[in-house]
Amino acid sequence: MQSPCINQNLELMPKDDGRIFIFNKSTKKTYSLGRNEYKVLSILDGNKTMEEIHKKCNNYSLYDIEKLINEFSKIGLLKTEDTNQSPTDIIEKKVVDIKDYQKKRFSIMDKKIFKIFSLKKGILHPDNSLDKDKMIFRILYFSIIYLSLPIFLIGLLTSIGTSSLSNSLTAPSWYIFIPAFLISIFFHEFAHIIVAKNNGAHIAEVGIRLILIVPCIYSSIVGISYIESKIKRILISAAGILLNLQVAGFGFILTAFTEGNANNFFLWLSMFNLMLVMFNLIFLLKFDGYYILTELLNDKKLKENSLSFISYIVFGKLFRKASITNMRIKLSLKKKIIYVLYGTLNIAFVGCIFVTFITNIIRFLSSKI
């Protein structure tokens, strides 16, 4: 690689300590670089030779620069254009591709099918435009953290007191269902963005993703692990749940003063927000509740470690890998109990979902026969 060039599909997010977060818009992965590493990356314009790069970054040896650039290339920070391949290289590559075709075609098809049902499209990269020092951000942060629970309780009591909760709930029309659903998801992600930015994290990307056939808004937040305060990290994970409770509270309050379609809309808005709260509190899936639990237990890989430990207990020597064996030896009794409980619950939960899914398919097919 004589004249390496930086990938133009990167989003840069500098931190106060000189560290740079780099978000790849294509792969959706984030990397952290130090000031000197970023200096090397920033001058890779595709026109400079290794010697010219070395002159501008003389705190590294030429060997270190070449090694660093190779690492940049491996993780996708550089353009990858194989325009200098010889005819022999191209022929050899085609031969290898033909030999590997039968092995890879099914896995490629699986990946394509999976991507169809989990599409993700970034729309905004708002990190540099979000100023946490603005008064509006401080007001929103205060509202999410300190007012969500009181507003929810007031709204719930108001709704119960006026009997609007039990008397007004009817099946929603599409013009009520769709806006209420999308607004609920928007507020959930919006809360994560506000609280994360105010606590020192970065918002790499905001976009739309398709989970199966359901459109959802998502936000890519980076730098949470660099935040020293555990409370702040928990607040970032819990922000969406808190604002959903606040919106549900406002919805309940408004149902007491509205009628007809407006009443039905606000009631279903409250219902959807409460559904999101309950869904995200399922700590057996990797949603907000799971990440809150990992912070409380000081275990970032709670699910993976629990399943590995369960596998070791159940299958014994078949899974007697050095990493698992060492993990088992170092674990305290408390940690072992946590892994057994969480791993068992996780397996049972996934099993119940699978059985329910198969049962519903069989019932559906039986009704059609």
Side-chain angles (χ1 to χ4, degrees):
M1 191 178 292
Q2 294 300 317
S3 301
C5 182
I6 188 172
N7 188 342
Q8 298 302 313
N9 210 27
L10 303 177
E11 179 78 12
L12 308 179
M13 294 164 286
K15 283 185 65 67
D16 295 335
D17 60 0
R19 189 180 297 276
I20 307 290
F21 288 123
I22 299 181
F23 177 73
N24 190 322
K25 299 174 188 176
S26 299
T27 63
K28 311 299 181 187
K29 293 183 178 180
T30 306
Y31 303 94
S32 175
L33 298 182
R35 187 175 299 167
N36 292 330
E37 295 166 326
Y38 175 68
K39 183 180 179 182
V40 175
L41 179 67
S42 63
I43 63 174
L44 303 181
D45 57 4
N47 298 318
K48 295 181 178 65
T49 63
M50 290 293 183
E51 289 73 17
E52 291 172 330
I53 296 169
H54 179 235
K55 287 180 182 179
K56 290 184 174 292
C57 304
N58 51 20
N59 52 326
Y60 286 112
S61 67
L62 184 59
Y63 171 78
D64 288 335
I65 288 176
E66 290 177 349
K67 189 175 179 181
L68 186 58
I69 289 174
N70 284 332
E71 291 300 319
F72 288 159
S73 180
K74 288 178 183 178
I75 62 177
L77 301 185
L78 304 181
K79 284 185 178 179
T80 55
E81 296 179 355
D82 298 331
T83 56
N84 297 321
Q85 285 185 320
S86 67
T88 304
D89 292 335
I90 294 172
I91 292 171
E92 289 178 352
K93 186 177 186 299
K94 286 184 177 180
V95 171
V96 172
D97 287 344
I98 292 170
K99 288 181 178 178
D100 291 343
Y101 175 73
Q102 293 295 331
K103 296 180 180 178
K104 293 183 178 179
R105 65 191 179 104
F106 291 111
S107 61
I108 291 172
M109 287 175 61
D110 289 342
K111 288 179 181 178
K112 286 183 177 179
I113 292 170
F114 177 77
K115 286 182 179 179
I116 291 173
F117 289 98
S118 60
L119 295 175
K120 182 184 284 190
K121 177 64 177 177
I123 298 175
L124 301 173
H125 301 90
D127 190 73
N128 295 327
S129 60
L130 296 175
D131 186 0
K132 66 179 181 180
D133 295 324
K134 288 184 177 180
M135 182 59 67
I136 184 64
F137 270 77
R138 294 182 179 180
I139 293 172
L140 288 170
Y141 180 81
F142 179 85
S143 172
I144 293 168
I145 300 302
Y146 298 105
L147 300 182
S148 292
L149 288 176
I151 290 173
F152 171 70
L153 292 175
I154 291 170
L156 188 61
L157 292 173
T158 302
S159 182
I160 294 173
T162 57
S163 301
S164 61
L165 186 61
S166 58
N167 298 333
S168 303
L169 191 62
T170 58
S173 303
W174 65 268
Y175 54 83
I176 290 177
F177 176 89
I178 294 176
F181 177 73
L182 293 178
I183 289 170
S184 302
I185 296 175
F186 169 79
F187 277 120
H188 183 92
E189 294 302 324
F190 180 74
H192 285 305
I193 291 170
I194 294 297
V195 176
K197 189 66 178 178
N198 273 273
N199 284 318
H202 293 268
I203 317 304
E205 185 175 73
V206 178
I208 297 174
R209 69 183 304 174
L210 192 66
I211 301 178
L212 295 180
I213 58 172
V214 181
C216 300
I217 298 171
Y218 76 91
S219 57
S220 294
I221 301 173
V222 300
I224 296 178
S225 58
Y226 290 92
I227 298 173
E228 294 182 1
S229 171
K230 180 189 289 191
I231 294 176
K232 289 182 178 181
R233 296 197 301 268
I234 291 175
L235 286 177
I236 291 172
S237 296
I241 294 172
L242 290 173
L243 189 54
N244 283 140
L245 287 173
Q246 184 176 149
V247 174
F250 276 122
F252 285 139
I253 292 171
L254 291 171
T255 58
F257 303 99
T258 54
E259 297 178 353
N261 285 334
N263 180 277
N264 205 26
F265 171 78
F266 288 122
L267 193 53
W268 275 105
L269 180 65
S270 298
M271 291 295 107
F272 281 132
N273 276 274
L274 289 180
M275 289 177 193
L276 278 178
V277 170
M278 291 185 287
F279 186 72
N280 278 279
L281 285 175
I282 300 175
F283 59 87
L284 297 172
L285 298 174
K286 284 193 173 183
F287 294 113
D288 295 344
Y290 171 80
Y291 294 109
I292 293 171
L293 183 62
T294 59
E295 290 292 348
L296 293 173
L297 298 177
N298 293 317
D299 194 334
K300 302 294 185 184
K301 294 185 177 181
L302 175 63
K303 183 176 181 178
E304 291 81 0
N305 290 339
S306 297
L307 294 178
S308 295
F309 188 67
I310 290 288
S311 298
Y312 179 86
I313 293 174
V314 174
F315 298 103
K317 293 183 178 180
L318 292 176
F319 285 83
R320 198 179 289 276
K321 296 179 180 178
S323 58
I324 298 176
T325 304
N326 292 336
M327 180 184 74
R328 179 178 177 273
I329 294 171
K330 295 177 182 178
L331 291 178
S332 64
L333 178 60
K334 179 182 176 181
K335 217 50 164 173
K336 291 178 182 178
I337 293 172
I338 290 172
Y339 284 167
V340 169
L341 289 175
Y342 184 86
T344 303
L345 286 173
N346 193 275
I347 293 169
F349 181 75
V350 173
C352 288
I353 292 176
F354 179 76
V355 170
T356 303
F357 178 73
I358 297 297
T359 303
N360 287 332
I361 290 178
I362 293 172
R363 286 178 180 174
F364 175 77
L365 294 176
S366 300
S367 65
K368 297 296 181 181
I369 296 175

